[in-house]
Structure formats: C-alpha cells, structure tokens
C-alpha cells in the first residue's frame, strides 16, 4: 500500500470553540468526536470529500498552550485547495474568516492567506491546473 498522510494534529484551546470555526466557518465535516480518558476527545474534521483531515488536540501544559496559533513559526502552515476560489473566498469572508492578504494570481494558481481562530496561517488556493 502506498503511504499517505492521514491526519495533521492542530493544537486548540477547547474542542467546541475549534469546532465552531472549522465546521461553522470553514464548512468542514466532523468525522469523529469520541470521548477518551482524562477529559480528552478524539476530534477529527476535514474538508468535505478530502481523504486527510485535522485532529483537533486540546493543548495540555504550558509548552503546548504556547504553541497554539504558532505551530509553524508564523509561516503558512496549511494549504486548503479549492476548485472555486471566488466562491470560497466570498463565503469565508461573509462568515468572518480573516484574510491577511489580498487574493493574488501566481504561476501555481490563485491564492490568499487567511488565519484560523488561533492565528495559524493558511493558504486558500485554486491551483492553476483547475480551470473554471
């Protein structure tokens, strides 16, 4: 079997706050929300139809809490591909997602940087190979 990345852990402050953003604002689907020991939960969200997803992990301890919102040192951390940049950019803007850069055309596609509720930076990108 070929290898693939299935989940990426994203540190969050509280599960339900994170779910409000990822499901409510970005429109991701909730794939799993299971209770674990010690008040932990196994919470997985993903863009609809995507193979991989995010494991929302509540930070434990000072070191993890300090990393919330800065898991990549201020660089773009995650890349959310779309087949319709204009549609998703407009939807996210209307839902209060904060874009920190204007949309721009690059050789690889149309892209704009937004921040999640913690300040992690994401690219919303429509690859150049996707024609509308």
């Amino acid at each position: 079997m070929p290898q693939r990345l299935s989940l990426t852990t994203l540190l969050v402050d509280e599960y339900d706050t994170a779910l409000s953003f990822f499901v409510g604002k970005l429109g991701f689907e909730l794939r799993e929300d299971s209770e674990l020991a010690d008040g932990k939960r196994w919470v997985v969200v993903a863009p609809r139809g995507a193979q991989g997803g995010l494991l929302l992990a509540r930070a434990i301890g000072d070191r993890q809490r300090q990393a919330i919102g800065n898991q990549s040192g201020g660089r773009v951390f995650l890349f959310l591909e779309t087949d319709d940049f204009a549609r998703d950019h407009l939807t996210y803007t209307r839902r209060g997602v904060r874009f920190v850069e204007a949309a721009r055309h690059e050789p690889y596609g149309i892209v704009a940087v937004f921040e999640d509720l913690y300040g992690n930076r994401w690219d919303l990108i429509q690859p150049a190979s996707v024609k509308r």
Side-chain angles (χ1 to χ4, degrees):
M1 177 174 100
Q3 294 180 330
R4 65 182 174 91
L5 291 175
S6 60
L7 294 175
T8 300
T9 299
L10 184 70
L11 291 170
V12 302
D13 60 351
E14 291 296 331
Y15 299 111
D16 294 331
T17 303
L19 284 171
S20 291
F21 180 81
F22 289 103
V23 174
K25 290 193 178 192
L26 296 187
F28 286 15
E29 62 185 0
L30 176 60
R31 295 232 175 118
E32 186 171 352
D33 188 350
S34 301
E35 295 289 331
L36 302 174
D38 300 324
K40 293 181 186 178
R41 289 161 52 188
W42 184 264
V43 180
V44 177
V45 297
R48 297 189 185 282
Q51 287 186 348
L54 293 175
L55 172 65
L56 303 179
R58 189 181 65 207
I60 298 171
D62 290 340
R63 183 174 179 200
Q64 289 181 15
R65 279 191 285 278
Q66 290 171 0
I68 294 173
N70 193 29
Q71 290 190 208
S72 66
R75 303 262 330 226
V76 169
F77 177 49
L78 297 163
F79 298 80
L80 182 58
E81 286 191 5
T82 179
D83 65 347
D84 190 334
F85 179 89
R87 174 199 66 214
D88 291 342
H89 187 269
L90 179 62
T91 298
Y92 290 171
T93 300
R94 286 181 175 164
R95 291 180 181 168
V97 174
R98 189 171 96 80
F99 283 86
V100 296
E101 294 180 3
R104 64 185 191 279
H105 291 264
E106 297 289 349
Y108 53 84
I110 307 168
V111 63
V113 177
F114 70 91
E115 290 182 341
D116 65 25
L117 73 164
Y118 302 109
N120 294 301
R121 290 180 167 231
W122 295 59
D123 269 358
L124 176 63
I125 182 169
Q126 179 181 320
S129 61
V130 175
K131 303 296 181 199
R132 294 265 334 139

